[in-house]
Amino acid sequence: DAGITQSPRHKVTETGTPVTLRCHQTENHRYMYWYRQDPGHGLRLIHYSYGVKDTDKGEVSDGYSVSRSKTEDFLLTLESATSSQTSVYFCAISESGQETQYFGPGTRLLVL
Amino acid sequence: AQKVTQAQTEISVVEKEDVTLDCVYETRDTTYYLFWYKQPPSGELVFLIRRNSFDEQNEISGRYSWNFQKSTSSFNFTITASQVVDSAVYFCALSEAGGNNRLAFGKGNQVVVIP
């Protein structure tokens, strides 16, 4: 299994507070991704990174920012959490843009 | 834009029956990649298979098999002799070589295997 961890695994927060989720990999893969999973929507891409300090938006990026200062870490920040951001967040990694994406265990976020 | 459709939302089968999950995709790229992932009740996403658009050979892995047909834009997945451990949500996904590396997921098929 690919070495991917996510922290925290569960979080409850209040509307308006900032939240940062961390994805850490030990595979030295160049690409990292953040998805959210919601009932009826499958998984949707929020942001992705194709190298240190290189990031781009996905299809549901509004309200989210990301940072990647090291190959192994990819941070997802909700600047001011809203109830619509209650979801399960998955991080994924791949060696290149066309290779298989392997997923982390997920983070359950509840915004009250 | 790339799109994946998995029509059946929940499928129940009795153990040892076969179950086929349909996946229909849309893309304008000539080079693309198709995937199946399994999400068991524990919640993690497990990679099952990757196919590129130039490889239409069907594949069998144990009780799992995949039928890729470009003519109908389908990439169907069959579980033979289902077992209770096969109970999960199965996602079909597509990425385009010319896209932004996004995996476009279908909405998933919930498979329930009844003992």
Side-chain angles (χ1 to χ4, degrees):
Chain A
D1 291 341
I4 313 168
T5 56
Q6 293 183 229
S7 58
R9 293 293 314 280
H10 302 271
K11 187 168 181 67
V12 180
T13 191
E14 293 187 350
T15 298
T17 60
V19 176
T20 295
L21 308 182
R22 179 182 183 238
C23 177
H24 178 79
Q25 59 145 330
T26 58
E27 305 297 320
N28 201 35
H29 283 358
R30 182 180 168 198
Y31 282 73
M32 298 184 76
Y33 311 80
W34 277 107
Y35 290 85
R36 60 178 289 175
Q37 183 178 23
D38 305 290
H41 289 279
L43 282 89
R44 294 177 293 174
L45 181 67
I46 305 171
H47 282 280
Y48 71 100
S49 168
Y50 48 96
V52 174
K53 295 189 176 25
D54 293 322
T55 65
D56 205 350
K57 295 179 180 179
E59 62 180 313
V60 290
S61 59
D62 287 348
Y64 301 95
S65 62
V66 290
S67 65
R68 191 167 178 201
S69 58
K70 298 185 290 184
T71 297
E72 57 266 35
D73 290 324
F74 192 33
L75 303 181
L76 176 71
T77 297
L78 291 65
E79 302 290 348
S80 177
T82 67
S83 58
S84 65
Q85 293 176 311
T86 291
S87 187
V88 180
Y89 291 85
F90 285 97
C91 172
I93 66 173
S94 66
E95 289 191 63
S96 71
Q98 307 310 322
E99 293 298 319
T100 299
Q101 294 184 24
Y102 294 94
F103 286 80
T107 293
R108 290 188 174 273
L109 176 67
L110 174 61
V111 183
L112 300 175
Chain B
Q2 65 213 87
K3 182 180 176 182
V4 175
T5 301
Q6 294 179 254
Q8 317 114 300
T9 52
E10 181 167 330
I11 304 166
S12 294
V13 296
V14 176
E15 199 171 21
K16 298 184 183 177
E17 289 183 342
D18 298 348
V19 55
T20 294
L21 308 180
D22 297 330
C23 173
V24 175
Y25 61 91
E26 296 177 28
T27 177
R28 294 180 181 176
D29 272 19
T30 55
T31 302
Y32 52 89
Y33 305 88
L34 294 163
F35 303 82
W36 277 94
Y37 288 86
K38 174 182 179 180
Q39 187 173 41
S42 51
E44 72 271 24
L45 281 156
V46 179
F47 163 72
L48 296 178
I49 190 171
R50 172 181 182 266
R51 262 284 178 267
N52 72 55
S53 52
F54 300 108
D55 182 2
E56 284 194 74
Q57 282 191 336
N58 293 330
E59 180 152 341
I60 297 174
S61 176
R63 296 183 297 103
Y64 294 171
S65 62
W66 291 270
N67 183 342
F68 177 23
Q69 293 195 336
K70 287 179 73 171
S71 60
T72 56
S73 297
S74 65
F75 187 42
N76 297 337
F77 173 33
T78 297
I79 303 172
T80 302
S82 60
Q83 301 176 1
V84 172
V85 293
D86 297 325
S87 295
V89 180
Y90 293 87
F91 292 97
C92 181
L94 163 74
S95 71
E96 297 171 328
N100 65 355
N101 308 302
R102 174 173 83 95
L103 266 181
F105 282 84
K107 294 184 179 179
N109 298 127
Q110 171 80 59
V111 173
V112 177
V113 181
I114 304 165

